[in-house]
Amino acid sequence: MRTRLTLAALMATLAFPALADEPGPGGSRPPIPKDGADIYRTYCQVCHMADARGAVGAGMFPALAGNARIGTAQYAIYLIAKGKGGMPYFSDSLTPAQIADVTNYIRTHFGNDYKDAVTAADVEPFAKPPRQARR
């Protein structure tokens, strides 16, 4: 009987870590954005703000709202994939499909009305991280 209790206690002790949740709030795996809006909220909103009007403070973050420059899809794709100035590149953390999704979202929201949709195939030529970032 004592052996059975010891064995049961040992098995319970070994099982609890496997049943435990990951550490930290919400676990250690970041959420995977589902669409352009989610990608914007996850990656872009922190600098360009929720309304995409940009910000000035510790740095200058240009407005995406009503921005004529993003009317050229390749320009928007290039900035998101390769970065420029203080803007980081995202070609190492977003897939071409995700870059296309967020590009389309930005180009069709916030007072922008550019209807020519971007595809993952349009992003492919820009998909590799910038040269200085490659190892």
Side-chain angles (χ1 to χ4, degrees):
M1 180 69 160
R2 185 176 185 124
T3 305
R4 284 185 188 172
L5 286 175
T6 304
L7 183 59
L10 178 62
M11 290 182 71
T13 303
L14 294 174
F16 281 117
L19 299 174
D21 192 12
E22 294 180 321
S28 61
R29 291 185 202 112
I32 297 171
K34 295 174 183 66
D35 58 19
D38 278 352
I39 296 165
Y40 182 84
R41 281 190 295 275
T42 303
Y43 291 93
C44 311
Q45 180 173 302
V46 69
C47 296
H48 295 284
M49 303 294 120
D51 60 3
R53 297 201 181 275
V56 176
M60 198 291 230
F61 305 99
L64 302 174
N67 188 328
R69 288 184 172 187
I70 64 173
T72 303
Q74 291 80 4
Y75 179 79
I77 293 166
Y78 180 85
L79 286 181
I80 295 166
K82 302 289 188 186
K84 181 181 176 191
M87 181 166 160
Y89 61 92
F90 292 97
S91 54
D92 66 340
S93 54
L94 295 175
T95 66
Q98 289 174 316
I99 292 174
D101 287 348
V102 75
T103 301
N104 288 327
Y105 178 76
I106 292 166
R107 295 180 75 236
T108 58
H109 290 78
F110 311 115
N112 301 314
D113 193 27
Y114 305 108
K115 300 289 187 201
D116 53 321
V118 172
T119 66
D122 297 326
V123 176
E124 283 296 334
F126 305 96
K128 292 183 181 173
R131 282 188 184 267
Q132 69 272 17
R134 291 187 214 150
R135 295 180 187 175

